[in-house]
Amino acid sequence: MTSPAAVSVRPQAATPARLPGVALVVAVLLALPLAAAVGQAAVAPVVGDPGGVVRWGVLYARVLHDVAAAVTVGLLVLAAFLVPETTRTRRRITATRLAGVAAGVWAVAGAVGAVFGMATLIGIPVRDPGFAQQFTTFAWQLLPIREVLLTSGLAALVCIGALVATTRAGMAWLATIAVVALLPLALAGHAAGATDHGTAVNALAVHLVAVTVWVGGLLALAVLRPLLAGSDLAATAQRFSVLAGWCFAAVAASGVQSAFLRVGTWSDLGTRYGALVIVKTLALVLLGVAGYLHRRSLLSRLRGASPGTAFARLVVAELVVMGIAMGTAVAMARSAPPVSEAPVADATPAYNLTGYPEPVPLTGSSWFTTWTTDWFWLAVALVAVGLYVAGVVRLRRRGDAWPVHRTIVWVLGWAVLLYAVCGAPGVYGRVLFSMHMVMHMVVAMLVPLFLVPAAPILLALRTLPSRPDKTWGPREVVLQVVHSRVFRAIANPVVAAALFFFSLAIFYYSPLFELALRTHTGHMLMMFHFLLSGYLFVWVLVGIDPGPKKWSPLMLLVILFATMSFHAFFGVVMTGSTTILAPDFFEVVKLPWMTDPLQDQKEAGAVAWGIGEAPTLALTLMVAVAWVRSDRDETRRKDRQADRDGDAELAAYNAHLAELRRREERQRRREQGDQGDGR
């Protein structure tokens, strides 16, 4: 009698592993010229035509670049996190080696795209005798070319690593680097020139990552399907289905936001660019329906019995639709949107420097009425709160308790962060040093006081399921991070305190401050650093999550007071400063209602000095409470131990004292005897 596993292998072998990839490539190659014709993406410019080879070559190089990137990311994600492995299989190694080849194609396609992109920007053919000198001289100075070259360099690094990696940790790091390599493309993309620059870049970055993981994961699943059978195929498909659901939500949300910024009004959907938007929207709807059918019917059929050819047909159909969407997206990136990208006429210096309109004069009511939604941080906050509440609900349903105050402080922490980013501190912090410092202090010192006591890592470990097949799911990844050597090093209280304070001083007294004021990338990196360094510092002092062993409360108090003393000294120095930091920004922004930037800088120093007092007091009280609680818990532990063993520890201690007394008595008698013999 034939086993179910044997039955399930035959249909897989009957469907060539290369068929899904061929279907994707064919769909892309058919969709690209049609979409380019609709959006006029390859039309010769009136002035500075680099030639038809360049105009079409830049499109096809980008398509090859995107497909290779998707294959690389998808194979590495499956190898590191989704595919079960046994002692008799080498699926991860096979997937990683294939990812290395794809990453090599990714790097080469990016380099070719950079050459064609440079020719397009300067308007001369690649074969022109002066092109090589122009490229080597100016390519790195042009943002669109520099970002593509940076991505290609990271892809080459992934290629080398994937050809030699053998461990899950190495594969996980390579997957992370591959995803990070996608982010510079958001700055070089079409949306980077939008009016709302920050929102456009964030939406495009989320869109790129989600699409790449989604398309690449599905293609990788189809390619590796002949190596999977029975329960392994079912487990991998189930895990990818969950990941694809998150990617679908991210693609839909970021796509709608990007379309809103690029299209503008409903009537603009009748334009050439609008037609391409409609095609991508229909593709997304079809993929959502296919994903629903996949989860509802096929996943259950993958467990044991053969799914026949239905699984392969659905995967190929999804990849065809994805290929159409990718080809359309590449053409859209080089098509003119209805919303003009021309520079704003009569823009203020503040707008030219930051990309945001100049705010009205700051008044007392501005603290309550000013608001500009930062959609990225709003999405992060909503997802963080949603996942936390879902974890608490799961605990309650299985009968486990979770303190209500932890949920409350978690929600409050994200609400405070949103106010700091979207409210008056975030809006005025783009042009005022004092308000920038308010935002900094709130994000780095106040928000962690709410988030850390919520114990999100402990909640995750109690709610996330463990995987019996030794793959790295979310729970395993959390455990790997909190018990890693890197985390043990940075979670050392001295190191965490040094990161918290010295990064503050280095940031403001270096070009990094002006970079964060002028560029969206610098601003985002600054925000992540403020939040993470502050969270780490508070965590090493009062965190209750699993991790490296905590130091004694007395030592933690010493570190806290020393760090806050340096922090106050930093504020005092800034308050007494006589030169303006980031002068090329604050002396150029020239707000009509801000006539003394140096005085505003001194107020920023006063903010850094004054705001630190309340969090310091709160941290001191929290460390003291933790000290008392640890002593109380230790006493209770010893009492319970005494009840179980009849106070064996006390009995042993008394016996030890009795033995010491007997020894002293024998020694005393021996000395008396020696004295008697001497007489």
Side-chain angles (χ1 to χ4, degrees), residues 239-484:
R239 293 163 184 169
F240 174 72
S241 180
V242 175
L243 180 61
W246 282 99
C247 291
F248 175 81
V251 169
S254 59
V256 168
Q257 192 172 53
S258 295
F260 177 79
L261 292 173
R262 311 311 306 153
V263 174
T265 63
W266 288 103
S267 60
D268 289 334
L269 291 176
T271 62
R272 292 176 176 271
Y273 191 90
L276 299 180
V277 171
I278 293 174
V279 171
K280 285 194 65 179
T281 303
L282 292 176
L284 182 64
V285 172
L286 290 175
L287 290 172
V289 173
Y292 171 76
L293 296 175
H294 182 77
R295 289 183 63 87
R296 188 186 69 174
S297 59
L298 283 181
L299 287 181
S300 59
R301 294 169 58 186
L302 291 177
R303 303 180 186 279
S306 168
T309 58
F311 179 77
R313 285 199 303 266
L314 184 58
V315 169
V316 171
E318 287 187 69
L319 288 172
V320 168
V321 177
M322 288 178 173
I324 295 173
M326 292 180 69
T328 304
V330 170
M332 285 179 63
R334 303 197 68 83
S335 302
V339 176
S340 176
E341 293 186 317
V344 177
D346 300 327
T348 63
Y351 185 90
N352 290 330
L353 288 173
T354 66
Y356 293 94
E358 179 182 299
V360 298
L362 178 63
T363 62
S365 61
S366 300
W367 289 88
F368 308 99
T369 59
T370 303
W371 185 270
T372 299
T373 302
D374 188 313
W375 294 102
F376 175 80
W377 286 109
L378 177 62
V380 170
L382 291 177
V383 170
V385 171
L387 290 176
Y388 193 95
V389 172
V392 174
V393 171
R394 176 176 294 183
L395 279 181
R396 295 294 178 85
R397 285 179 176 175
R398 73 185 189 195
D400 294 337
W402 187 259
V404 177
H405 73 271
R406 292 182 184 173
T407 305
I408 294 175
V409 295
W410 181 257
V411 176
L412 286 176
W414 287 106
V416 172
L417 175 68
L418 286 179
Y419 173 75
V421 174
C422 305
V427 173
Y428 286 93
R430 301 188 186 111
V431 292
L432 289 181
F433 199 159
S434 57
M435 294 298 285
H436 175 92
M437 188 62 73
V438 171
M439 180 186 67
H440 181 170
M441 293 296 103
V442 171
V443 172
M445 300 191 67
L446 186 58
V447 172
L449 289 179
F450 291 101
L451 298 183
V452 171
I457 297 176
L458 180 61
L459 177 64
L461 294 178
R462 291 185 60 183
T463 56
L464 292 173
S466 59
R467 291 187 178 177
D469 55 9
K470 298 182 179 180
T471 55
W472 280 7
R475 188 177 191 276
E476 288 73 20
V477 171
V478 171
L479 287 172
Q480 289 290 329
V481 171
V482 299
H483 295 299
S484 64

Side-chain angles (χ1 to χ4, degrees), residues 30-48:
L30 290 177
L32 178 60
L34 294 175
V38 172
Q40 298 181 330
V43 174
V46 177
V47 179

